[in-house]
Amino acid sequence: MPRTLIRDLAAAVGEEVTVYGWVNALRLQRKLQFVIVRDHTGLVQITNKRTDEAGELEQLIEHGMTPESAVKITGVVISAPNVKLGGLEIQPTAVEVVSRADAMPIDRQTGIDQRLDWRFLDVRQPERQLTFAVQTTLEEALREFAYAEGCTEMHTPKLMGTASESGSEVFAVKYFDRTAYLAQSPQFYKQMAIAGGIDKVFEIGPVFRAEPSFTSRHSTEFTGLDVEIAWIEDVEDVMRFEERMLAHALRRIEERHGEAIREIFGVEVTVPDVAFPRYTMAEAISLLRARGWDPEGVKEDLDPEGERMISRIAAEEHGSEFVFITEFPISVRPFYHLRPEHNPDVTASFDLLWKGLEITTGAQREHRHDVLLKQAEEKGLGLEPLTSYTDCFRFGTPPHGGFGAGVNRILMVLLGLESIRDAMFLFRGPNRLTP
Amino acid sequence: MPRTLIRDLAAAVGEEVTVYGWVNALRLQRKLQFVIVRDHTGLVQITNKRTDEAGELEQLIEHGMTPESAVKITGVVISAPNVKLGGLEIQPTAVEVVSRADAMPIDRQTGIDQRLDWRFLDVRQPERQLTFAVQTTLEEALREFAYAEGCTEMHTPKLMGTASESGSEVFAVKYFDRTAYLAQSPQFYKQMAIAGGIDKVFEIGPVFRAEPSFTSRHSTEFTGLDVEIAWIEDVEDVMRFEERMLAHALRRIEERHGEAIREIFGVEVTVPDVAFPRYTMAEAISLLRARGWDPEGVKEDLDPEGERMISRIAAEEHGSEFVFITEFPISVRPFYHLRPEHNPDVTASFDLLWKGLEITTGAQREHRHDVLLKQAEEKGLGLEPLTSYTDCFRFGTPPHGGFGAGVNRILMVLLGLESIRDAMFLFRGPNRLTP
């Protein structure tokens, strides 16, 4: 019989149906057999009380059935107001164990490391199912916005011939008789697309960071959202693009999953007002120092504590979960960030923080070939290795800017997850390459 | 002034506008200045005939302007029926060279290798702009179909702790103090998602093949479309999913780009009927042998010539550009392909050919743990290294199957491109890691 999804059972009362799913729980007694079956749309109770002529219960559900076995159950949907799961149950006529499960190696109390060892079993939990449903909606909505803005979706190479700008934090790959490197960002390539006359470009794909970091917000491989747009007036155009994009995605998520997220994660999805508040780095630092941050007064960038504090200030002052920090000093930004005319001591750059966590870095890029070379030299960089990058600015390249955001970090903040390890299917860290 | 896109100029006759774009061509004379400006939406002619009080032409367009410079041109849109480009022109009032172009290192006659060296300039050509617009629509439509079918979009890791099934053709990565490998397919991971209760899963992302191949259809990195669906009855469910998915995507492409593809590539986009014709491998081989293929009669699989011939046969017999080849022999398929009950000497597998080129490989997977181990042993594989894979079948895994398709190959066939190098932004091959 064709499959009926559990969420559709209410419309099938009185009919015979077949549900496919996993044994969520079971109680097999001599006079009564109960099984709770779970599919990706819900739970249903199976109640077997069918007796034979002698008045004995027919053992339709074999006693070897185990929790988490994959089953197909055919039976009649009965209205049963006392049953908590939707006020209905299925009285079975045929039960098939499609794949019997061994004893579970993890349970609800298992710590995260062992959960990750058995991630495919962990993913069966409702909060993980919801996590990936939300991720799907998040990306669908980000793309929907990008398409509407006229973006072209480009796939940039993950294999590079030379280590990207920083040189550090890059994985080396044995590539036939030479060495390749894994892209730690599509930065260079998306700018190349802009130089190629692609008006707006976006990509959602893997990025790789060879950082030996063990924090709750770092991983060596994650999903990046990258956007680059041409013909901007200034970096504000980029920030406005991003805030509208995120607001659109959060609206979609609230509509589709708001209730489930509230129920399962206890988190309210707030669709933000745009524009988000903006503090220049100078403003942020003086606000933070007034509250006792960085007592030595030496930092030019925000540390995680500073990020959390400035987010709290933005929440107090503007009622916003989001805050842009702008105009980062030249010292903490790469040579290719444009320096605004009104203040050439800083860069036309920004970070976006959400509830205290950095989720984005962006900037207007320097598109003038001569200025770019000058800035590279000032940073003490050799021009020769940069030629393949700087050549992109010799043939008519419009002003442009963009940003890179971490999809898993967005998901982590959105659902209030404690670790980025739960905001991706299969986490990769310095000590973890499996499963 | 805000930007007006060139495609929108017809609605602005009589108004002053600013267009942003590149100098497609120019002719600067003493008495008349012409510039053709190109943006991503079209071409427009700029005609300067403004004279000063002495009757001399005002040199609004500086003589240092070069082809491919990025420019902003403000002027009044004039109806000019004799002008080929949309019957209008712009009479300029202000001209700004935003970024002057050096002399172009490539032109329309340049061979593909040097074109790829300067890919960002090559991408400015109309056929490349269309290629990536079509790619964007293709992926949008594939996803649209996947979402409607209830698929979850998963990002599977590209860094793996062990080389995947074949062991060969895998790139090794220095991963801190050990070795990782680049995933040559999400195969294992998407099955893991199925074991995790994700009902249907899809991914569009990079796959890596360390093959030293130099053909027009191979690359070491490309964009893969992967789908895996649970609770299938048999492999037909997978094939039906794919043919409907492709038909949906081709319908969208035909609607949005059919005319441009005809004009620029000279190719007709045909929305296929489903179902596509199917030949078992045994049928295909006997059809081919009857036409003189493989005179020695030793092949168990199709070579590129056989693929082209069987595609021609399908076109003649069924009027179809597409053909499924099914039931590949066990010898040419991996151990985890299911063997159908009605014919256990073959696998429940398929390839999909389009106009003679293989674009997909798919199968129903063996989900029964004991059968899977038996099949692995028969293939002479050690069970120990396979444990992390085979363990996924110990805890209740439903019948499932899926396929992997090459997005760039689809694009190559769709647009009639001679080489896959033109069906991706930045080609990667054994000898090419740049730009």
Side-chain angles (χ1 to χ4, degrees):
Chain A
M1 261 180 75
R3 180 186 199 178
T4 301
L5 294 177
I6 290 172
R7 69 167 168 230
D8 298 331
L9 288 176
V13 170
E15 293 170 28
E16 190 177 61
V17 299
T18 303
V19 294
Y20 304 174
W22 284 264
V23 174
N24 203 64
L26 78 175
R27 207 172 64 198
L28 305 182
Q29 297 164 320
R30 209 169 53 83
K31 295 199 175 290
L32 202 58
Q33 297 186 310
F34 287 112
V35 180
I36 309 293
V37 171
R38 180 189 73 238
D39 73 12
H40 60 292
T41 69
L43 298 167
V44 64
Q45 176 170 307
I46 315 296
T47 311
N48 176 34
K49 35 192 171 187
R50 196 162 79 174
T51 51
D52 60 19
E53 287 169 11
E56 294 290 310
L57 186 71
E58 284 188 49
Q59 302 293 308
L60 273 173
I61 301 169
E62 44 166 322
H63 285 257
M65 183 188 271
T66 52
E68 294 303 320
S69 291
V71 295
K72 289 187 179 183
I73 291 176
T74 300
V76 180
V77 185
I78 305 290
S79 174
N82 293 334
V83 173
K84 277 181 194 157
L85 300 170
L88 47 80
E89 64 183 13
I90 293 177
Q91 293 185 357
T93 53
V95 173
E96 181 191 354
V97 175
V98 173
S99 174
R100 190 183 315 277
D102 287 357
M104 285 293 111
I106 59 170
D107 62 25
R108 302 282 304 172
Q109 274 66 53
T110 305
I112 188 163
D113 242 31
Q114 209 182 334
R115 277 205 288 111
L116 293 187
D117 287 341
W118 294 98
R119 186 62 164 171
F120 70 97
L121 296 174
D122 186 42
V123 162
R124 293 186 188 173
Q125 298 295 339
E127 59 268 46
R128 311 290 162 238
Q129 294 277 317
L130 180 58
T131 299
F132 297 107
V134 171
Q135 179 186 280
T136 301
T137 300
L138 170 63
E139 294 185 20
E140 181 182 358
L142 293 172
R143 286 197 177 90
E144 186 176 50
F145 181 86
Y147 296 143
E149 293 287 315
C151 290
T152 302
E153 187 163 3
M154 303 291 273
H155 298 282
T156 64
K158 306 311 159 199
L159 291 166
M160 309 178 79
T162 48
S164 49
E165 109 224 14
S166 75
S168 66
E169 304 179 354
V170 175
F171 288 115
V173 180
K174 188 176 166 341
Y175 193 80
F176 304 102
D177 53 354
R178 50 197 283 209
T179 302
Y181 303 89
L182 290 181
Q184 59 173 4
S185 140
Q187 179 63 35
F188 175 20
Y189 298 125
K190 64 182 179 171
Q191 289 189 260
M192 201 180 269
I194 294 292
I198 304 287
D199 197 58
K200 298 186 180 78
V201 56
F202 85 103
E203 176 169 17
I204 297 179
V207 298
F208 304 94
R209 302 279 164 91
E211 293 177 67
S213 296
F214 296 87
T215 77
S216 62
R217 63 192 188 284
H218 286 94
S219 52
T220 52
E221 176 178 351
F222 61 89
T223 302
L225 160 68
D226 265 274
V227 171
E228 198 77 19
I229 52 183
W231 297 106
I232 59 174
E233 282 303 309
D234 55 34
V235 67
E236 265 293 324
D237 285 347
V238 181
M239 291 156 69
R240 274 194 293 267
F241 188 103
E242 185 178 15
E243 62 193 2
R244 288 167 49 233
M245 188 179 220
L246 287 174
H248 175 80
L250 290 174
R251 187 171 305 110
R252 275 275 176 282
I253 290 168
E254 206 286 316
E255 288 163 5
R256 203 175 293 170
H257 308 288
E259 201 180 314
I261 292 173
R262 202 173 301 122
E263 197 175 301
I264 290 188
F265 291 103
V267 174
E268 204 65 41
V269 178
T270 308
V271 181
D273 289 330
V274 291
F276 302 162
R278 287 132 164 86
Y279 298 128
T280 65
M281 180 58 100
E283 289 167 349
I285 285 182
S286 76
L287 281 166
L288 288 171
R289 291 219 168 112
R291 302 197 180 201
W293 174 80
D294 183 28
E296 310 289 319
V298 292
K299 298 197 188 85
E300 289 201 285
D301 202 350
L302 301 183
D303 54 12
E305 193 208 338
E307 289 176 350
R308 284 188 294 269
M309 280 180 76
I310 196 72
S311 280
R312 281 198 299 271
I313 294 170
E316 287 163 23
E317 290 194 344
H318 300 279
S320 174
E321 293 177 355
F322 292 90
V323 57
F324 280 117
I325 309 298
T326 66
E327 298 193 354
F328 281 67
I330 291 168
S331 58
V332 300
R333 290 293 189 171
F335 75 96
Y336 56 78
H337 281 196
L338 182 132
R339 301 170 190 178
E341 265 175 55
H342 70 270
N343 187 0
D345 293 334
V346 300
T347 55
S349 62
F350 64 90
D351 274 5
L352 177 60
L353 311 181
W354 187 13
K355 294 186 187 175
L357 189 70
E358 180 212 308
I359 58 166
T360 290
T361 294
Q364 178 165 2
R365 327 299 180 180
E366 181 53 67
H367 64 285
R368 293 161 297 186
H369 186 245
D370 53 340
V371 181
L372 191 64
L373 297 188
K374 199 170 103 280
Q375 291 185 178
E377 280 183 321
E378 275 176 32
K379 286 261 185 188
L381 298 171
L383 295 186
E384 176 56 28
L386 294 176
T387 308
S388 65
Y389 178 73
T390 55
D391 270 355
C392 287
F393 303 91
R394 284 176 46 212
F395 302 93
T397 296
H400 63 284
F403 63 88
V407 169
N408 312 94
R409 284 200 178 181
I410 292 174
L411 211 54
M412 184 182 165
V413 179
L414 174 64
L415 302 179
L417 304 175
E418 276 176 32
S419 169
I420 201 158
R421 288 156 212 227
D422 267 329
M424 53 184 67
F425 178 31
L426 295 163
F427 170 74
R428 291 292 180 256
N431 291 337
R432 181 172 284 280
L433 273 171
T434 53
Chain B
M1 259 179 76
R3 179 187 201 178
T4 300
L5 295 177
I6 289 174
R7 69 165 169 232
D8 298 332
L9 289 176
V13 170
E15 293 171 29
E16 190 176 61
V17 299
T18 303
V19 294
Y20 304 173
W22 285 264
V23 174
N24 203 64
L26 77 175
R27 206 171 65 197
L28 304 183
Q29 299 165 318
R30 208 168 55 81
K31 296 202 175 286
L32 201 59
Q33 297 187 310
F34 286 113
V35 180
I36 308 293
V37 172
R38 181 189 72 239
D39 72 10
H40 60 291
T41 69
L43 299 167
V44 65
Q45 176 170 307
I46 316 295
T47 310
N48 175 34
K49 36 193 171 188
R50 197 162 78 174
T51 50
D52 60 19
E53 288 168 12
E56 295 289 312
L57 186 73
E58 285 188 48
Q59 303 294 308
L60 272 173
I61 299 169
E62 44 166 321
H63 285 258
M65 182 188 273
T66 53
E68 295 302 322
S69 291
V71 295
K72 288 186 181 184
I73 291 177
T74 300
V76 180
V77 184
I78 304 291
S79 175
N82 292 334
V83 172
K84 278 182 194 158
L85 300 170
L88 48 80
E89 64 183 15
I90 293 176
Q91 293 185 358
T93 52
V95 173
E96 181 191 352
V97 176
V98 174
S99 174
R100 190 183 317 275
D102 287 358
M104 284 295 110
I106 59 170
D107 62 25
R108 302 282 304 173
Q109 274 66 54
T110 305
I112 188 162
D113 241 32
Q114 209 182 333
R115 278 205 286 112
L116 294 188
D117 286 342
W118 294 98
R119 184 65 163 170
F120 71 97
L121 295 175
D122 186 43
V123 163
R124 293 186 188 173
Q125 298 295 338
E127 60 268 46
R128 313 284 163 242
Q129 295 277 318
L130 180 58
T131 299
F132 297 108
V134 171
Q135 180 185 280
T136 301
T137 300
L138 170 63
E139 294 185 20
E140 180 182 359
L142 293 172
R143 286 197 177 90
E144 187 176 48
F145 181 86
Y147 296 143
E149 293 286 317
C151 289
T152 302
E153 188 164 4
M154 304 291 272
H155 297 284
T156 64
K158 306 310 161 201
L159 291 167
M160 309 178 80
T162 48
S164 49
E165 109 225 15
S166 75
S168 66
E169 304 178 353
V170 174
F171 288 114
V173 180
K174 188 176 166 339
Y175 193 80
F176 304 102
D177 53 356
R178 51 196 283 211
T179 303
Y181 302 90
L182 290 181
Q184 58 172 5
S185 142
Q187 180 62 37
F188 176 19
Y189 298 124
K190 64 183 179 170
Q191 289 189 259
M192 202 181 269
I194 295 292
I198 304 288
D199 196 57
K200 298 186 181 77
V201 56
F202 84 104
E203 174 168 18
I204 296 178
V207 297
F208 305 93
R209 301 279 163 91
E211 292 177 68
S213 296
F214 296 88
T215 77
S216 62
R217 63 192 188 284
H218 285 94
S219 53
T220 53
E221 177 178 350
F222 61 89
T223 302
L225 160 68
D226 266 274
V227 171
E228 198 77 19
I229 51 182
W231 297 106
I232 59 174
E233 283 302 308
D234 55 35
V235 68
E236 265 292 325
D237 285 348
V238 181
M239 291 156 69
R240 275 193 293 267
F241 188 103
E242 185 177 16
E243 62 193 3
R244 288 166 51 231
M245 187 180 221
L246 287 174
H248 175 80
L250 290 174
R251 188 171 303 112
R252 277 274 175 282
I253 290 167
E254 205 287 316
E255 288 163 4
R256 203 175 293 169
H257 307 288
E259 202 179 314
I261 292 173
R262 202 173 301 125
E263 197 175 300
I264 292 188
F265 291 103
V267 174
E268 204 64 41
V269 178
T270 309
V271 181
D273 289 330
V274 291
F276 301 162
R278 287 130 163 87
Y279 299 128
T280 65
M281 180 57 100
E283 288 167 349
I285 285 183
S286 73
L287 281 166
L288 288 171
R289 292 218 168 116
R291 302 195 180 204
W293 175 80
D294 184 28
E296 311 289 319
V298 293
K299 298 198 189 83
E300 290 202 284
D301 203 349
L302 302 183
D303 54 12
E305 193 208 340
E307 290 175 350
R308 285 190 293 270
M309 279 179 77
I310 197 72
S311 280
R312 281 198 299 272
I313 294 170
E316 288 163 22
E317 290 195 344
H318 301 279
S320 174
E321 294 178 354
F322 291 90
V323 56
F324 279 117
I325 310 298
T326 66
E327 299 194 354
F328 280 68
I330 291 168
S331 57
V332 299
R333 290 295 190 171
F335 75 96
Y336 56 77
H337 281 196
L338 182 131
R339 301 172 189 175
E341 265 175 56
H342 71 272
N343 186 0
D345 293 336
V346 300
T347 54
S349 62
F350 64 90
D351 274 6
L352 177 61
L353 311 182
W354 187 13
K355 295 185 186 176
L357 190 70
E358 181 211 308
I359 58 167
T360 291
T361 294
Q364 177 165 1
R365 327 298 181 181
E366 181 53 67
H367 65 284
R368 293 161 297 186
H369 186 245
D370 52 340
V371 181
L372 191 64
L373 298 189
K374 200 171 101 283
Q375 292 183 178
E377 281 185 320
E378 275 176 31
K379 286 260 186 190
L381 299 169
L383 295 185
E384 176 57 30
L386 295 176
T387 308
S388 66
Y389 178 72
T390 55
D391 271 356
C392 287
F393 303 92
R394 283 177 45 211
F395 301 94
T397 296
H400 64 285
F403 63 88
V407 169
N408 312 94
R409 284 200 177 181
I410 291 174
L411 210 55
M412 183 182 165
V413 179
L414 173 64
L415 302 179
L417 304 175
E418 276 176 32
S419 169
I420 201 158
R421 288 156 212 228
D422 267 329
M424 54 183 66
F425 178 32
L426 295 162
F427 170 73
R428 292 292 179 256
N431 291 337
R432 182 172 282 280
L433 273 171
T434 53

